Amino acid sequence: MCFLQRSEASPRREAAGNRGAKDLRPSSGCAQAFFEREELHIQELAQQVVSGLATGSIFASLALALVLIYRSMDVINFAQGELAMFTTFIAWQFTEQGMPLWAAFAATMAISFAGAVALERIVIRPIERAPQLTIVIVTLGLLIIFNGLAGWIWGYELKSFPSPFPTAPIHAGNVTFSSQDLGVIGVTLAALLLIYLFFSRTKLGLAMRAAALYPAESRVLGIPQGWMLALGWGLAAVMGTLSGLMVAPIVFLDPNMMQSIVVYAFAAAVLGGIDSPVGAVVGGLVLGVTLNLLGTYVDFIGTDLRLPVAFAIIVGVLVVRPSGMFGHRRLTRV
Amino acid sequence: MALLELDDLRARYGETDVLHGITLSVEPGAIVAILGANGAGKTTTFRAITGAIPTSGAVRFDGRPIKGNSPEAAARLGIAHVPEGRGTLAALTVRENLALGAFTQKDSKRTRATYERVVSYFPRLAERCNQAAGTLSGGEQQMLAIGRALMMEPRLMLLDEPSLGLAPLIVREIFALLERINKSDGVTILVSEQNAKLALAAASHAYVLETGRIAVSGPSADLNRDDAVRKSYLGY
């Protein structure tokens, strides 16, 4: 997960350094040295892939949040990242007051769910039938409000956020993985599984899918459109909060923490297909791994050019295949 | 007391008046038909009943106005609307479509029993239960729409042109099933049709709609017997 870290050292260079040091060891023959180096390459690759999957799952959570709202309202909630940042601050506040970390996480999830439902009912409901542009502008307004509010309440200096995962690395054979990376992947996958089960196995989840895809038809079946929308906001906020809680220990907490993450999440959602939840997850993981590998093995990209790469992916996908990997092509009759 | 009463129901799309005061009543347990050509206002009448469009005049269900005046509210009261175009949730499976029909039902055991009954009416739905509803044929989709409406255990079913786009054989099959459902489940049915002959055979009472007004109404047998009505409004 190196590239989310605010460190100047390039992982590529470090890795190269290590390799150099190992190469200096006397070896019995050329062949052995070759194989050792080969193995090191694979170990490094494995680490970078896992690290990429970890960042990717953070993108995936937030991308899924964007997709959940896009599916039901046809708009991107530009405030999604800031909402996640805000709720992460709430979790931080809880831990500062001595609440155990996981309890603070659970409480924060509950608050973000209820808060987002209320936000939808109070702010979005009155403009539900307004043109999409109106809703977009309102979400941009929310972005600014929550950013300012967080700065006003908690200030702009960087705060370190406790990690819920152990610091000791985990060894699997010759490869060493960070517990942080594996923890992030594990927690995200668990959350995604829960969301999947909710949407595929429960009546409420099914009703939410129907309401998003077929608003008029599902109203006829007695499904309250407005409340399904509000629940969608709640779930999206929970997924966003998850991404905030997972990323905060890595990048430090501040009111602008999510601003680049939300761009990556948007890139992930577009890559996967903006109306596809599966696409958001796959897109997030693919993006995380790709960016990590590009940053590690392509020197000129390093840590600085990753955000432009994300933008390039957005533009590229929109030009070549607007429906992304899993999205549906929309046909409009003229 | 009538199960459904419309009293001087009016509706407009933008500046255009579409319904100019519809008054009709549906007795509990009856099958009532609304006949009329394209554009006569059949679909609009249904949409007005469920509150999908703004209206003036009164809609009374069970003697009371429908509170909230929205399709959701109508569904909760037990009015199942099988809309024009069948309202198929195309990307969801047949089973999911049926499950959503029971959204307003709380008792899952009872829903299971209803499901068994629906499937006994439409065995083909059981065969295709894991198939996406959009892949069904037109006739199957109509059966799915009726089955899904039944899952609601409705007191009143509103059927908007069930024969539209279907082969005559399938249309007859569907009407036979509607009569069976009406008798054995006690569901009151208000059905709109262009196929007057078929609808009059099933319904006890019919209203002929012409450009947003009721032109003629009466017991089906009387309408069928009246040569003038048959020639000018029913077209046979």
Side-chain angles (χ1 to χ4, degrees), chain A residues 71 129 199-211 213-228 328, chain B residues 51-52 70-72 75-76 79-83 87-92 95-97 99-106 111 148 152:
Chain A
R71 268 163 73 93
R129 288 175 214 291
F199 278 114
S200 63
R201 298 291 154 85
T202 69
K203 194 163 140 184
L204 189 58
L206 186 58
M208 283 177 68
R209 274 161 66 205
L213 294 173
Y214 310 99
E217 288 85 348
S218 38
R219 290 183 74 194
V220 167
L221 300 175
I223 299 170
Q225 183 73 14
W227 279 105
M228 296 297 122
H328 298 92
Chain B
S70 67
E72 298 99 295
R76 275 197 299 275
I79 301 179
H81 181 193
V82 179
T88 311
L89 313 175
L92 305 185
R95 189 201 301 274
E96 288 171 332
N97 268 267
L100 283 172
F103 181 80
T104 52
Q105 299 302 109
K106 297 285 165 267
T111 298
R148 195 178 57 189
M152 199 187 273

Side-chain angles (χ1 to χ4, degrees), chain B residues 135-219:
Chain B
T135 64
L136 299 184
S137 72
E140 287 166 343
Q141 285 191 30
Q142 188 63 60
M143 290 175 190
L144 175 61
I146 295 171
R148 195 178 57 189
L150 281 179
M151 291 296 292
M152 199 187 273
E153 296 195 51
R155 298 177 60 197
L156 173 67
M157 200 187 279
L158 306 176
L159 281 152
D160 199 354
E161 286 210 46
S163 73
L164 196 70
L166 301 183
L169 200 68
I170 294 171
V171 174
R172 274 201 289 281
E173 195 183 324
I174 283 174
F175 269 89
L177 270 161
L178 286 180
E179 288 184 72
R180 198 174 141 199
I181 288 163
N182 171 253
K183 281 206 187 66
S184 54
D185 289 37
V187 180
T188 308
I189 295 176
L190 179 62
V191 55
S192 80
E193 259 307 328
Q194 288 194 58
N195 188 332
K197 208 169 174 178
L198 204 61
L200 283 178
S204 60
H205 217 86
Y207 293 83
V208 180
L209 212 58
E210 202 189 39
T211 56
R213 284 187 186 82
I214 289 176
V216 200
S217 69

Side-chain angles (χ1 to χ4, degrees), chain A residues 7 78 88 122 195 202 235 267 277 280 289:
Chain A
S7 71
F78 285 100
T88 307
I122 296 163
I195 289 262
T202 69
L235 281 183
V289 172

Side-chain angles (χ1 to χ4, degrees), chain A residues 38-59:
Chain A
E38 209 42 22
E39 198 172 292
L40 273 171
H41 277 302
I42 289 168
Q43 284 169 20
E44 190 195 338
L45 182 67
Q47 275 158 10
Q48 292 303 334
V49 167
V50 168
S51 192
L53 286 175
T55 6
S57 42
I58 292 171
F59 302 157

Side-chain angles (χ1 to χ4, degrees), chain B residues 1 8 32 45 57 65 94 108 115 134 144 156 159 165 183 185 189 225 234:
Chain B
M1 186 181 56
D8 196 30
V32 173
T45 304
V94 169
S108 65
Y115 176 79
L144 175 61
L156 173 67
L159 281 152
K183 281 206 187 66
D185 289 37
I189 295 176
R225 224 175 290 131
L234 308 180

Side-chain angles (χ1 to χ4, degrees), chain A residues 30-205:
Chain A
C30 293
Q32 196 185 331
F34 175 78
F35 284 121
E36 256 178 38
R37 193 175 306 175
E38 209 42 22
E39 198 172 292
L40 273 171
H41 277 302
I42 289 168
Q43 284 169 20
E44 190 195 338
L45 182 67
Q47 275 158 10
Q48 292 303 334
V49 167
V50 168
S51 192
L53 286 175
T55 6
S57 42
I58 292 171
F59 302 157
S61 314
L62 194 56
L64 183 62
L66 294 174
V67 166
L68 285 179
I69 290 186
Y70 184 84
R71 268 163 73 93
S72 49
M73 303 185 68
D74 275 351
V75 294
I76 291 291
N77 176 10
F78 285 100
Q80 201 75 61
E82 298 311 285
L83 292 177
M85 172 276 297
F86 197 84
T87 50
T88 307
F89 262 112
I90 293 178
W92 176 82
Q93 190 71 59
F94 282 149
T95 59
E96 284 293 290
Q97 262 138 30
M99 200 189 264
L101 200 50
W102 289 105
F105 280 14
T108 304
M109 291 293 182
I111 289 173
S112 54
F113 181 82
V117 169
L119 195 64
E120 198 282 336
R121 292 284 80 182
I122 296 163
V123 179
I124 302 300
R125 171 116 206 240
I127 53 160
E128 228 170 67
R129 288 175 214 291
Q132 287 165 2
L133 197 59
T134 312
I135 306 177
V136 167
I137 298 293
V138 167
T139 69
L140 283 172
L142 288 175
L143 180 158
I144 294 164
I145 289 171
F146 278 97
N147 186 278
L149 214 52
W152 180 59
I153 300 174
W154 291 291
Y156 285 94
E157 78 251 38
L158 302 181
K159 296 182 170 55
S160 72
F161 190 90
S163 168
F165 307 111
T167 43
I170 291 169
H171 303 278
N174 286 334
V175 196
T176 310
F177 298 113
S178 100
S179 312
Q180 175 75 32
D181 285 355
L182 294 178
V184 168
I185 296 172
V187 167
T188 309
L189 288 184
L192 293 175
L193 183 68
L194 284 180
I195 289 262
Y196 171 77
L197 289 176
F198 171 73
F199 278 114
S200 63
R201 298 291 154 85
T202 69
K203 194 163 140 184
L204 189 58

